[in-house]
Amino acid sequence: VAHHRHMAMSDSPHPQPTTDALDGVRPVDRLLLDLEADPDHPGDLRLEVVPKLCRTDGRFYGGAALAASLAAMEAVTGRRALWATTQLVAPAPIGSTVRVGAEVVASGRTVDQVSVRGWVGDDLLFLAVGSAATESPDGIAGLGQRMPDVPVPDDCEPWRGPGDQAAALRGETLGGGDGPAVGHHLVTEHRDAPILSPSSDRPGHFALWARMGGDLASVRPVMTPAILGFVADMVPLAVTRACGVHGAGTSLDNSIRIGDVRDADWVLLDLDASVAAGGFGHGTVNVWSPDGSLLATGSQSARLFSIEDFLRRRDG
Amino acid sequence: VAHHRHMAMSDSPHPQPTTDALDGVRPVDRLLLDLEADPDHPGDLRLEVVPKLCRTDGRFYGGAALAASLAAMEAVTGRRALWATTQLVAPAPIGSTVRVGAEVVASGRTVDQVSVRGWVGDDLLFLAVGSAATESPDGIAGLGQRMPDVPVPDDCEPWRGPGDQAAALRGETLGGGDGPAVGHHLVTEHRDAPILSPSSDRPGHFALWARMGGDLASVRPVMTPAILGFVADMVPLAVTRACGVHGAGTSLDNSIRIGDVRDADWVLLDLDASVAAGGFGHGTVNVWSPDGSLLATGSQSARLFSIEDFLRRRDG
């Protein structure tokens, strides 16, 4: 019953501002992040770092920090999240309780500027800046990019990362192909979407179909800024790919700008590298609906490492 | 004499951490922003909103806020700025004194996470998050994009915006082609760089050559993260172009990620639109050196308006 209520409420185009922060969170975002009101800090939200909100190493996932930032911005303003950059300050282990507090630093006729902080106890976990906006139905609109040509999801094979990738980083063999027991892949599904007209000018460019899965399959096809932020956190893989390195990255931030949001079952993560130098790199992601609408565009910076370096350091 | 000392010190690959924040600012960045130590707040910097640091409407320029954020991050860490997102909270009129304070929120072996705040008196002007990093000479490096084909700067015509554009917004005719007396065009030069192989898939894509000019021509060819942030603030023009609208945008943030920085006289601003919906839009800029190195990549979100709407509101 609760579930049906959630789904019905999620049809509301905008969250509603209230004194209880949780009332302003979209129902599917509550389900995604298990958000609660923080009884110790009225107006703040809290969540627990549970397995679905972790990286495969058991620490809080950057995409979850971005999703929580976006949800908190919407709750405190009653407007749709427009963009957010979430700086990842510290790792948080599984089981931590994260307090999320949003502050409106400027409020205008159509747009609010917001900052969000995530804490574990007295320690700052993440710091976000961003805006939430009330869109104008006849406001300026347009599209500057085109979705790459890829096969439809039904014709694409499952993508075995990040579970397989993480296992490779740990030098483990997966038993039975189920992947690690901890990680956001518990609630997401990805398929490898081969780009049909690749360009040698973009050596990092690759694409994945993504959708919510596992216990969160029920939220489909609702798409929210928080869900987009949650699934889009794959950029460093494009950057190491462009560098010709079998590796990964430690994200320094997760940034997203929300475009023409509409419901979709699968979304295409169109990932690309910008540039890397001295062990640090930057890349982008466009998130498309199957009909070619650009739902969001994101970017990230990361400290990059090869799997060889990772294993060498681990093994001393 | 002072000027030569500045230029010599700017050859140092990294700023040096000191107790006096100003000592950690690159000399060319001091010249760019007229940065001083804030005598009332030890460790903080300050600057005055002078004409070169304004938009053509006489308010503090977003590119200057981003540049000040990057310079402050370098000063407080002694490391090279890697990325920054500067949220523009409030406008500041010409003549304001801006206090800039940076705080290291996490410090690691190779990278620091920093937040920066700009204030006018007790009012928050901007809020930035970002990182500064110590690059590894043999760290992972690579390039994921290719510079568009454009004529060399000597074969390109002067670009008359943003001065002409601003005059058009105000319904003015320029007298003698000198443009408005206030604006960052006082210290920058731009040339229209026609893209030789345009794609109909990217209707907002356009390019400009940019360099420091006027009283700041002497800093050439030194290139710093702050200079890159200063010149890169043109993204909303690509977004309105993609929307088929003769208009502009009010930036909500200025974001930049620093790549393979090297000295250059001219740099190419490779501007493109992502998506716009409901009157708000997002776009990107790649900043290239003439030899095809990607110095930086940036993005912005903005509230968009057409010139017709602007004039209609202004005229009641």
Side-chain angles (χ1 to χ4, degrees), chain A residues 87 130 145 257-258 273 282 301, chain B residues 87 130 145 257-258 273 282 301:
Chain A
Q87 176 184 45
Q145 308 291 313
R257 301 179 189 277
I258 306 297
H282 317 291
S301 295
Chain B
Q87 175 183 48
Q145 305 293 312
R257 302 180 189 275
I258 306 297
H282 318 291
S301 295

Side-chain angles (χ1 to χ4, degrees), chain A residues 80 82-83 85-90 103 105-106 109-115 117 124 127-131 133-146 201-205 239-240 242-245 248 251-255 257-261 272-284 286 294-297 299-306 309 313, chain B residues 80 82-83 85-90 103 105-106 109-115 117 124 127-131 133-146 201-205 239-240 242-245 248 251-255 257-261 272-284 286 294-297 299-306 309 313:
Chain A
R80 203 195 78 175
L82 182 65
W83 69 276
T85 292
T86 299
Q87 176 184 45
L88 308 169
V89 175
E103 180 189 2
V105 294
R109 194 172 51 85
T110 59
V111 61
D112 294 328
Q113 295 280 36
V114 188
S115 73
R117 284 166 189 258
L124 186 64
L127 175 55
V129 293
S131 303
T134 300
E135 296 175 286
S136 165
D138 58 351
I140 293 174
L143 178 60
Q145 308 291 313
R146 201 177 63 79
D201 289 344
R202 298 168 66 183
H205 193 198
V239 184
T240 51
C243 297
V245 171
S251 298
L252 300 171
D253 73 293
N254 283 48
S255 297
R257 301 179 189 277
I258 306 297
D260 187 14
V261 178
D272 209 355
S274 299
V275 61
F280 296 89
H282 317 291
T284 60
N286 281 338
L294 184 48
L295 308 185
T297 180
S299 58
Q300 282 185 259
S301 295
R303 189 171 58 77
L304 307 174
F305 53 85
S306 67
D309 279 349
R313 273 206 302 276
Chain B
R80 203 195 79 175
L82 182 65
W83 69 276
T85 293
T86 299
Q87 175 183 48
L88 307 169
V89 174
E103 180 190 0
V105 294
R109 195 172 51 85
T110 60
V111 60
D112 294 327
Q113 296 280 34
V114 189
S115 72
R117 282 166 190 258
L124 187 64
L127 174 55
V129 293
S131 303
T134 300
E135 296 174 286
S136 165
D138 58 350
I140 294 173
L143 178 61
Q145 305 293 312
R146 200 177 64 80
D201 288 344
R202 298 167 67 184
H205 192 200
V239 184
T240 51
C243 298
V245 171
S251 298
L252 300 170
D253 73 296
N254 282 49
S255 297
R257 302 180 189 275
I258 306 297
D260 186 14
V261 178
D272 210 355
S274 299
V275 60
F280 296 89
H282 318 291
T284 61
N286 282 338
L294 185 46
L295 308 184
T297 180
S299 57
Q300 282 185 261
S301 295
R303 188 172 59 77
L304 306 174
F305 52 85
S306 67
D309 279 349
R313 272 204 304 274

Side-chain angles (χ1 to χ4, degrees), chain A residues 191-281:
Chain A
R191 292 192 184 167
D192 190 21
I195 293 172
L196 299 178
S197 330
S199 162
S200 60
D201 289 344
R202 298 168 66 183
H205 193 198
F206 79 107
L208 299 170
W209 288 109
R211 66 176 182 181
M212 300 308 294
D215 290 345
L216 288 176
S218 59
V219 309
R220 299 192 319 239
V222 174
M223 209 34 80
T224 67
I227 289 177
L228 290 165
F230 191 84
V231 300
D233 184 7
M234 295 283 173
V235 168
L237 298 177
V239 184
T240 51
R241 185 184 181 111
C243 297
V245 171
H246 186 41
T250 303
S251 298
L252 300 171
D253 73 293
N254 283 48
S255 297
I256 199 164
R257 301 179 189 277
I258 306 297
D260 187 14
V261 178
R262 53 187 66 196
D263 287 352
D265 187 32
W266 289 98
V267 295
L268 187 75
L269 306 180
D270 169 14
L271 298 143
D272 209 355
S274 299
V275 61
F280 296 89

Side-chain angles (χ1 to χ4, degrees), chain B residues 89-282:
Chain B
V89 174
I94 195 164
S96 306
T97 297
V98 180
R99 169 186 162 204
V100 182
E103 180 190 0
V104 177
V105 294
S107 185
R109 195 172 51 85
T110 60
V111 60
D112 294 327
Q113 296 280 34
V114 189
S115 72
V116 181
R117 282 166 190 258
W119 305 85
V120 175
D122 292 331
D123 297 327
L124 187 64
L125 181 63
F126 62 84
L127 174 55
V129 293
S131 303
T134 300
E135 296 174 286
S136 165
D138 58 350
I140 294 173
L143 178 61
Q145 305 293 312
R146 200 177 64 80
M147 185 166 79
D149 292 323
V150 296
V152 297
D154 281 350
D155 293 340
C156 293
E157 295 294 316
W159 184 63
R160 303 303 306 267
D164 273 17
Q165 181 207 7
L169 286 174
R170 289 196 304 266
E172 293 169 5
T173 304
L174 293 180
D178 294 322
V182 170
H184 52 90
H185 63 282
L186 295 172
V187 292
T188 55
E189 293 177 20
H190 294 88
R191 292 192 185 167
D192 190 22
I195 292 171
L196 299 178
S197 328
S199 162
S200 61
D201 288 344
R202 298 167 67 184
H205 192 200
F206 80 108
L208 299 170
W209 288 109
R211 65 177 182 180
M212 300 309 293
D215 291 345
L216 288 175
S218 60
V219 309
R220 297 189 324 237
V222 174
M223 215 24 89
T224 66
I227 289 176
L228 290 166
F230 191 84
V231 300
D233 183 9
M234 294 282 174
V235 167
L237 297 178
V239 184
T240 51
R241 186 183 179 110
C243 298
V245 171
H246 187 42
T250 302
S251 298
L252 300 170
D253 73 296
N254 282 49
S255 297
I256 199 164
R257 302 180 189 275
I258 306 297
D260 186 14
V261 178
R262 53 187 64 197
D263 288 351
D265 188 34
W266 290 98
V267 295
L268 187 74
L269 306 180
D270 169 16
L271 297 143
D272 210 355
S274 299
V275 60
F280 296 89
H282 318 291

Side-chain angles (χ1 to χ4, degrees), chain A residues 2-249:
Chain A
H3 178 68
H4 275 104
R5 184 168 52 85
H6 285 158
M7 296 305 292
M9 286 171 64
S10 71
D11 293 337
S12 163
H14 298 292
Q16 297 302 311
T18 65
T19 50
D20 181 344
L22 192 63
D23 291 342
V25 178
R26 299 176 195 250
V28 295
D29 295 347
R30 287 194 216 181
L31 286 175
L32 171 66
L33 299 165
D34 294 338
L35 283 167
E36 301 177 343
D38 185 332
D40 302 325
H41 301 94
D44 287 355
L45 300 167
R46 75 175 184 190
L47 59 83
E48 187 182 342
V49 181
V50 292
K52 69 178 175 182
L53 303 182
C54 287
R55 310 186 310 203
T56 49
D57 66 0
R59 289 175 165 183
F60 191 49
Y61 168 56
L66 177 58
S69 302
L70 293 161
M73 285 179 183
E74 295 196 329
V76 76
T77 63
R79 289 176 158 164
R80 203 195 78 175
L82 182 65
W83 69 276
T85 292
T86 299
Q87 176 184 45
L88 308 169
V89 175
I94 195 165
S96 306
T97 297
V98 180
R99 170 186 161 205
V100 182
E103 180 189 2
V104 178
V105 294
S107 185
R109 194 172 51 85
T110 59
V111 61
D112 294 328
Q113 295 280 36
V114 188
S115 73
V116 181
R117 284 166 189 258
W119 306 85
V120 176
D122 292 332
D123 297 326
L124 186 64
L125 181 63
F126 62 84
L127 175 55
V129 293
S131 303
T134 300
E135 296 175 286
S136 165
D138 58 351
I140 293 174
L143 178 60
Q145 308 291 313
R146 201 177 63 79
M147 185 166 80
D149 291 324
V150 297
V152 298
D154 281 350
D155 292 339
C156 292
E157 296 293 316
W159 183 64
R160 301 306 304 265
D164 274 15
Q165 180 208 9
L169 285 175
R170 290 197 304 265
E172 293 169 4
T173 304
L174 293 180
D178 293 321
V182 170
H184 51 91
H185 63 281
L186 295 172
V187 292
T188 55
E189 294 176 21
H190 293 88
R191 292 192 184 167
D192 190 21
I195 293 172
L196 299 178
S197 330
S199 162
S200 60
D201 289 344
R202 298 168 66 183
H205 193 198
F206 79 107
L208 299 170
W209 288 109
R211 66 176 182 181
M212 300 308 294
D215 290 345
L216 288 176
S218 59
V219 309
R220 299 192 319 239
V222 174
M223 209 34 80
T224 67
I227 289 177
L228 290 165
F230 191 84
V231 300
D233 184 7
M234 295 283 173
V235 168
L237 298 177
V239 184
T240 51
R241 185 184 181 111
C243 297
V245 171
H246 186 41

